Amino acid sequence: MPVLLVMVVGIAVFSLTLSNTDAAGVTRNGIQGLKFYLTPSLEGVTVQRFLQILLDAMSQLFFSLSVSMGIMITYGSYVKPQVNLNKSVNQIEFFDTGVAFLSGMMIIPAVYVFSGMDGMSAGPSLMFISLPKVFHAMGNAGILVGTLFFLTAAFATLTSCISVLESIVANCMALFHASRKKVTLVLTVIYMAISAVIALGYSVFYMEVNLPNGTVGQLLDIMDYISNSVMMPFIAFFSCILIGWIIGPKWISDEMESSGHVFRRKKLYNVMIKYIAPVLMLILALQSIGILDVLLV
């Protein structure tokens, strides 16, 4: 991960130095791409469009923070009692936001340079479209840099797969009273079979489906939409109801302060988990399945 982080920073800086002239004679450079990346555009924004953008942003947040997937709950149960959870939360917020910003800075300017505005709609496969062009622009060094980058990215992906699998393994061990080895083996086989089908979504199992967010998706896009834009908002909504109104936020506050450190955001957390977050999650959940679009028409 440290190697990957260093490479992300280096590639992001290199992307800003790129320049390309397309077939129409239009020249675009990385600095223009960075400006496009950082400048908000309110052109054509309606209530429905704003909610869809918010849903897409929240979907990315859910995925990057591993929220509403049981991962943080599972790993949190392994944390030693003396660990300062406040500090851990602050570190996660800082590094997750920083890496997300650098990733966008690495990819968006490169897409803008080589493909212009038309290249922004590639979805989850964006990295595999724009970065090879960046590595090609590096010359011979790009072969080494590109190989190392995608190798480290593969390891990062593997650790993400393990974290998702660990959440399921931990629950299955408790439900079925089975050993870790047996549960891990069975789930790994299922995991790999499903992953293989999704990986073939751009070849053997190619399809095109119109998604409620206005895009045309293949199998990977469909699964990404179902998990991040539909399931996670609903899970987050019910989690807010469970913690805010059934168990009570004091249970979380006590856990945050169990190590002897003060939970400085206690009042803010109580208001968020009971009132603000449930309303937002319900709105996003209704938006994700298209009900809100019908109501707003």
Side-chain angles (χ1 to χ4, degrees), residues 10 16 41 44 80 142 160-161 164 172 186 239 247 268 276 292 294:
L16 301 182
S41 175
K80 296 179 180 179
S160 297
C161 292
V164 175
C172 288
V186 173
S239 297
I247 296 178
L268 176 62
I276 300 178
L292 208 59
V294 176

Side-chain angles (χ1 to χ4, degrees), residues 144-253:
L144 176 62
V145 174
T147 301
L148 185 58
F149 175 83
F150 283 114
L151 183 62
T152 54
F155 278 108
T157 304
L158 179 62
T159 59
S160 297
C161 292
I162 291 173
S163 67
V164 175
L165 186 62
E166 172 61 22
S167 177
I168 304 173
V169 167
N171 281 278
C172 288
M173 287 172 61
L175 288 172
F176 301 110
H177 305 288
S179 66
R180 172 173 288 275
K181 288 184 178 180
K182 183 182 294 185
V183 171
T184 303
L185 178 61
V186 173
L187 290 178
T188 298
V189 173
I190 298 174
Y191 204 133
M192 293 180 67
I194 296 175
S195 298
V197 172
I198 296 175
L200 294 172
Y202 288 93
S203 55
V204 179
F205 302 112
Y206 183 82
M207 63 178 70
E208 291 186 356
V209 176
N210 293 319
L211 299 175
N213 61 1
T215 63
V216 177
Q218 285 72 47
L219 193 55
L220 174 62
D221 304 305
I222 296 169
M223 297 302 295
D224 176 76
Y225 178 80
I226 292 174
S227 61
N228 289 358
S229 298
V230 179
M231 295 178 67
M232 289 186 189
F234 276 105
I235 294 172
F237 169 72
F238 289 117
S239 297
C240 290
I241 299 300
L242 175 65
I243 300 298
W245 296 97
I246 299 177
I247 296 178
K250 185 178 182 300
W251 186 77
I252 298 293
S253 300

Side-chain angles (χ1 to χ4, degrees), residues 52-118:
Q52 185 57 55
I53 294 171
L54 184 62
L55 177 62
D56 291 340
M58 290 298 295
S59 299
Q60 170 62 23
L61 184 150
F62 286 139
F63 182 78
S64 63
L65 288 176
S66 300
V67 177
S68 299
M69 291 185 278
I71 296 174
M72 285 298 183
I73 297 174
T74 302
Y75 280 150
S77 67
Y78 302 154
V79 174
K80 296 179 180 179
Q82 64 269 25
V83 172
N84 184 352
L85 295 180
N86 296 273
K87 183 178 179 181
S88 298
V89 169
N90 291 336
Q91 290 174 338
I92 291 171
E93 291 172 340
F94 176 79
F95 284 107
D96 183 79
T97 303
V99 170
F101 176 80
L102 286 172
S103 298
M105 186 175 166
M106 175 181 68
I107 294 175
I108 300 302
V111 174
Y112 182 83
V113 167
F114 294 111
S115 305
M117 295 290 293
D118 296 335

